[in-house]
Amino acid sequence: MGLFSHYVANMKQLYSDSPQQSHWWRGASIYQIYPRSFQDSNGDGIGDLAGITARLPYVAALGVDAIWISPFFASPMKDFGYDVSDYCQVDPMFGNLDDFRALVARAHELNVAVLIDLVLSHTSDQHPWFQESRSSQDNDRADWYVWADARADGGPPNNWLSLFGGCAWQWDTRRKQYYLHNFLREQPDLNFHCDALRQSLLDVARFWLELGVDGFRLDTVNFYYHDAQLRDNPAADPHVRKVDVPDINPYSMQNHLYSKSQPENLAFLEDFRALLDRYPGSTTVGEVGENARALEIVEQYTSGDTRLHMCYSFDFLGGGIDPHYVRERIAAHQREAAQAWACWSFSNHDVARHVSRWSELGGSSDERGRFLLAVLACLRGSLCLYAGEELGLPEADIALEDIQDPYGLEFWPEYKGRDGCRTPMPWEEREHGGFSTVRPW
């Protein structure tokens, strides 16, 4: 903990003379908390908001500027909260809105900002919006999701693939149409070409800003819009390094030219930024899932002061690492995204922990952890530190019978999913690591 505090203090000093110092997010360190796995306060084996609040003094002692909390909204948990069924309610698994208010108040007492993970590209199929949308082709929310007719032969509208495996289109017998899902079939994609839908999502952001949040990590921010003509995606360039999806997934074989990263997204990001500007000090971190055009998109999404504040891509969230690659990625950012403000990350809830992923660097896990933490803190920009990274936690080896991640179950055994990086935080050297009084989830 002391080592990371030292790095953070040095980084703050680095930016202390900058004219942008009033923008706290520049050079900020953001500590990501996966709520299921941080601290269980009620003995059910699942982390919760009250548990996060209880551990905030530890987080503040690290010297971080903010926390980013992964989704805790009401959800059937098919994708562990990234399938939202009510944007304005806390899932009972994690507590309630009063627990969230208490968390924000305590964080602010400790001078720690609170960012929440806003999942706007899709909802759960249990969301009332989707239940109404699928009921007919002429209801009030009929165009709030991406619907399309079958081809003449009954097949899906185009060749788009789901990141979680298979076709990205699911037939719905009620509407007699296909709906788009870039992820699980239980996660239908919202239609950002619909004015009323976009306004409702801005209302969701306003709801949380009024509750005191200091900003948002925007999940899959480049997935918001799809090509209105539903054109087929071309094949991927085999020479482009895949950093956001394992090679065994056929999703990696396409260049997702039309299923995401559409130019219409810029106007929505400007509307989103205009809303945040009414809440001084609030900020955004956009997640850009892309291979071929990641830096181009990061540059577009953060250019000027009318769009996102920061973006992070998957530069260091997949594959191996060596000095040449680090130098090349830094040079690429300086060359292709010179006006963007980067937010760097080596680990998060979606990828294997980097202490294990980059074992080819040699040394012990502790030595690699310390060295890589120093590298991360030296990069120009802000950083996201995944809970446990300050301890040098390695990836956990999860048995097949314990795997819960649908992504891992789909591609086992070549890809074991994301459970190994989501195991509970070890607070103490005793049974269940001080995380819970019972066996963790």
Side-chain angles (χ1 to χ4, degrees):
M1 187 170 82
L3 181 64
F4 181 70
S5 300
H6 176 71
Y7 292 147
V8 169
N10 284 346
M11 185 158 63
K12 288 180 178 177
Q13 181 63 40
L14 179 65
Y15 293 103
S16 62
D17 298 325
S18 168
Q20 294 89 11
Q21 182 62 21
S22 60
H23 302 306
W24 67 267
W25 47 272
R26 287 184 176 267
S29 52
I30 304 168
Y31 187 84
Q32 183 195 354
I33 295 174
Y34 192 67
R36 296 176 65 89
S37 298
F38 200 59
Q39 179 66 66
D40 171 21
S41 73
N42 60 4
D44 64 357
I46 299 171
D48 45 47
L49 296 181
I52 295 173
T53 304
R55 294 293 187 179
L56 282 175
Y58 164 84
V59 176
L62 289 174
V64 300
D65 300 282
I67 56 172
W68 144 30
I69 310 175
S70 293
F72 51 84
F73 314 109
S75 168
M77 299 294 165
K78 294 291 185 180
D79 191 24
F80 297 100
Y82 284 88
D83 50 323
V84 178
S85 59
D86 189 333
Y87 282 112
C88 297
Q89 287 295 329
V90 174
D91 194 276
M93 176 186 300
F94 300 123
N96 54 45
L97 284 173
D98 285 338
D99 292 323
F100 183 76
R101 292 185 181 97
L103 188 160
V104 171
R106 182 61 174 138
H108 288 170
E109 286 176 2
L110 295 166
N111 201 31
V112 174
V114 177
L115 311 183
I116 65 172
D117 208 329
L118 207 52
V119 188
L120 300 183
S121 66
H122 54 268
T123 70
S124 164
D125 61 359
Q126 301 304 305
H127 197 294
W129 295 350
F130 186 71
Q131 294 298 307
E132 181 176 356
S133 187
R134 79 189 315 182
S135 66
S136 69
Q137 295 190 26
D138 58 2
N139 63 78
D140 289 343
R141 292 192 172 93
D143 61 347
W144 282 36
Y145 291 81
V146 183
W147 295 96
D149 292 328
R151 294 197 307 253
D153 62 1
N158 58 30
N159 72 341
W160 296 353
L161 297 174
S162 164
L163 193 134
F164 283 179
C167 178
W169 296 94
Q170 177 67 31
W171 178 254
D172 187 84
T173 57
R174 275 156 278 198
R175 277 190 56 141
K176 297 182 176 61
Q177 286 183 305
Y178 283 94
Y179 67 83
L180 177 67
H181 61 93
N182 274 297
F183 299 92
L184 294 176
R185 66 180 182 182
E186 293 90 355
Q187 294 172 296
D189 274 49
L190 289 163
N191 178 21
F192 275 73
H193 294 284
C194 171
D195 294 342
L197 178 275
R198 293 196 307 274
Q199 185 56 54
S200 291
L201 294 177
L202 292 174
D203 290 343
V204 167
R206 184 180 297 106
F207 173 85
W208 291 103
L209 289 165
E210 288 293 328
L211 281 180
V213 304
D214 302 288
F216 305 99
R217 182 264 192 182
L218 295 174
D219 183 66
T220 58
V221 70
N222 61 312
F223 280 75
Y224 292 172
Y225 277 86
H226 66 285
D227 173 48
Q229 300 178 53
L230 301 181
R231 287 172 282 187
D232 279 355
N233 282 326
D237 181 346
H239 299 103
V240 173
R241 174 173 169 163
K242 310 299 189 301
V243 295
D244 61 348
V245 64
D247 286 339
I248 59 168
N249 187 342
Y251 188 85
S252 67
M253 301 177 188
Q254 283 189 358
N255 175 6
H256 303 276
L257 188 62
Y258 298 115
S259 54
K260 60 183 181 182
S261 305
Q262 299 304 293
E264 296 95 327
N265 204 20
L266 297 177
F268 176 76
L269 297 182
E270 290 172 357
D271 290 342
F272 198 90
R273 175 63 177 267
L275 171 62
L276 264 70
D277 285 346
R278 299 174 204 162
Y279 297 83
S282 58
T283 193
T284 47
V285 182
E287 177 200 27
V288 175
E290 180 61 73
N291 281 311
R293 298 171 50 225
L295 291 180
E296 173 190 343
I297 294 167
V298 167
E299 173 83 352
Q300 290 176 350
Y301 285 14
T302 62
S303 62
D305 57 3
T306 62
R307 297 171 185 168
L308 300 182
H309 301 80
M310 301 174 280
C311 276
Y312 77 80
S313 61
F314 286 72
D315 294 271
F316 298 111
L317 288 171
I321 191 172
D322 56 44
H324 172 77
Y325 180 72
V326 174
R327 176 187 288 271
E328 189 275 327
R329 293 322 300 158
I330 293 173
H333 270 262
Q334 293 172 340
R335 181 177 63 251
E336 301 175 36
Q339 302 306 311
W341 189 259
C343 185
W344 303 98
S345 183
F346 287 173
S347 287
N348 67 19
H349 63 293
D350 280 334
V351 300
R353 288 185 176 272
H354 66 269
V355 168
S356 298
R357 180 164 26 101
W358 295 336
S359 60
E360 71 271 15
L361 292 175
S364 67
S365 293
D366 182 66
E367 290 169 335
R368 285 197 303 278
R370 287 171 178 268
F371 168 70
L372 291 166
L373 193 57
V375 173
L376 178 64
C378 287
L379 296 176
R380 180 183 182 275
S382 303
L383 66 87
C384 285
L385 184 83
Y386 184 40
E389 197 170 332
E390 74 276 20
L391 305 177
L393 286 188
E395 182 81 353
D397 187 17
I398 308 296
L400 174 58
E401 58 268 23
D402 292 324
I403 291 290
Q404 299 191 37
D405 180 17
Y407 198 3
L409 291 172
E410 178 71 22
F411 291 104
W412 181 277
E414 284 76 16
Y415 175 66
K416 298 183 179 181
R418 302 165 294 179
D419 290 322
C421 67
R422 297 176 175 183
T423 51
M425 185 78 166
W427 295 102
E428 303 168 18
E429 290 190 33
R430 62 184 176 92
E431 188 177 23
H432 311 315
F435 164 77
S436 177
T437 57
V438 300
R439 187 175 189 269
W441 68 274

